[in-house]
Amino acid sequence: MTIGLDAVRSALLEACPGLVVAGVRPLEAGYTSRQWVAETDEGPLLAKTPVRNPDPEHMRRLIAATRHAADGGVPVVRFRALLPFSSFVGGPLLVQEFRAGTPADGAWDAMPAEARLAFAAELGTVVGRIHACTGPRFGDVLGRSSYPDVRTFLRARVDEQLAKAPGVLPPDLLQCTGAALHRAISAVPVDAAPSLVHGDLWRPNLLLRDGRIECVLDFEHGRWADRFLDFGKLDEHIFAAYPEGRPAFLAAYDAVLPLPDDWPARVRLGHAVHNLSTAVYFARWNPEFVPEYVAGLASLLGE
């Protein structure tokens, strides 16, 4: 569906009656939503409508998770309105403040060594603050699903992905993955607290301004979970190519939220769950990436 700028303007006025819109321009950012920046009498606003998941509950989760992060001192955007459905854009419409800045992936190549190290340390502080936000339960931030403890949550998460994995993982790897991950889950302390987990921590979701983290974006996959699940994507997309920054990240993280003695094993479990769930996800959207994650999972399991 092609969405014109006049349609976006109409949807904005539908979502925010009385808003004065001076102009609208498309914003090329992300791949799961269409986005536009509107100049208004309330300042610049960002309008977005999903491409892959049209369920408005997905956006409600984004809003709820972002607000929990804000309560923990994490720099995030504020929201203006949510339309569960707008005929002008053919789906939900979310309106939020627009923050100027450069995504960290766009700034990365030009950053000198000392700036990268400072970024890694600041990232550790920010991620520590996200994870220091604790919830009343494991599961959905809106309370749609609930698990009594971390092991039950992790088993349900793994089993959900394994149910989708036939045809994605080779049969021998599929068989051993469930047993290996369930053994690892049994070693996680049953009294681990439910932390706010972002679920999509990589450089495009970190907005920089003057070299500092201005904003953490897109808590669309936020949930109350085991905090070490976030380390899978972090390590893949940031520290695999920048290992020298990981000690600074971990030191800053530990200063905010101390790392337990078993943190390496729980990070390894987080990596395995990340490879499994990403392989399943890309089997639908980008099958050319699947072998990379299948190989990563096999390597983690020693296969």
Side-chain angles (χ1 to χ4, degrees):
M1 175 184 177
T2 301
I3 303 173
L5 298 184
D6 288 342
V8 175
R9 180 192 294 267
S10 297
L12 277 165
L13 297 177
E14 181 184 15
C16 308
L19 188 71
V20 178
V21 180
V24 179
R25 61 178 173 86
L27 180 68
E28 298 300 327
Y31 54 89
T32 61
S33 64
R34 296 186 181 96
Q35 301 181 36
W36 301 267
V37 178
E39 299 300 331
T40 79
D41 60 334
E42 298 181 9
L45 296 176
L46 179 71
K48 61 191 298 184
T49 189
V51 172
R52 293 186 175 177
N53 188 344
D55 186 351
E57 286 290 279
H58 191 62
M59 288 189 161
R60 291 191 178 98
R61 292 186 188 97
L62 162 66
I63 294 169
T66 303
R67 286 175 174 165
H68 286 304
D71 290 342
V74 179
V76 295
V77 298
R78 293 173 295 178
F79 296 95
R80 174 66 170 78
L82 170 63
L83 279 180
F85 182 83
S86 170
S87 60
F88 295 107
V89 296
L93 182 80
L94 181 63
V95 184
Q96 63 190 59
E97 69 173 328
F98 173 73
R99 291 279 192 96
T102 303
D105 59 327
W108 189 253
D109 289 344
M111 290 173 69
E114 61 272 18
R116 289 186 177 184
L117 200 61
F119 165 82
E122 187 179 17
L123 181 60
T125 298
V126 168
V127 176
R129 288 177 180 169
I130 294 172
H131 293 169
C133 300
T134 55
R137 74 192 80 80
F138 285 89
D140 188 90
V141 291
L142 297 175
R144 306 292 193 260
S145 62
S146 179
Y147 302 89
D149 57 64
V150 64
R151 293 179 187 172
T152 306
F153 167 79
L154 287 170
R155 289 182 184 121
R157 173 69 175 162
V158 166
D159 289 347
E160 176 188 11
Q161 298 306 308
L162 288 173
K164 302 173 184 176
V168 179
L169 302 185
D172 55 340
L173 180 59
L174 178 62
Q175 183 175 5
C176 76
T177 294
L181 293 186
H182 278 277
R183 283 196 301 271
I185 290 167
S186 295
V188 176
V190 73
D191 60 350
S195 288
L196 181 63
V197 168
H198 182 283
D200 199 18
L201 286 172
W202 63 327
R203 292 199 300 256
N205 283 337
L206 301 165
L207 191 68
L208 305 185
R209 191 169 186 178
D210 298 327
R212 302 294 304 275
I213 297 177
E214 168 77 6
C215 196
V216 182
L217 303 170
D218 292 343
F219 282 78
E220 294 180 45
H221 303 286
R223 67 186 72 193
W224 302 119
D226 183 63
R227 54 180 163 139
F228 295 102
L229 291 181
D230 260 343
F231 281 64
K233 193 155 188 171
L234 271 172
D235 282 333
E236 178 195 355
H237 288 279
I238 296 179
F239 296 116
Y242 181 52
E244 57 268 41
R246 198 167 188 262
F249 168 86
L250 291 171
Y253 181 98
D254 184 64
V256 175
L257 187 61
L259 291 162
D261 291 342
D262 67 342
W263 73 267
R266 288 170 69 181
V267 167
R268 186 178 180 87
L269 173 60
H271 286 183
V273 174
H274 169 68
N275 277 275
L276 170 62
S277 58
T278 306
V280 168
Y281 176 82
F282 278 141
R284 178 179 180 186
W285 298 107
N286 300 93
E288 68 273 20
F289 297 146
V290 169
E292 172 186 349
Y293 294 96
V294 171
L297 179 61
S299 176
L300 285 163
L301 300 181
E303 294 297 315

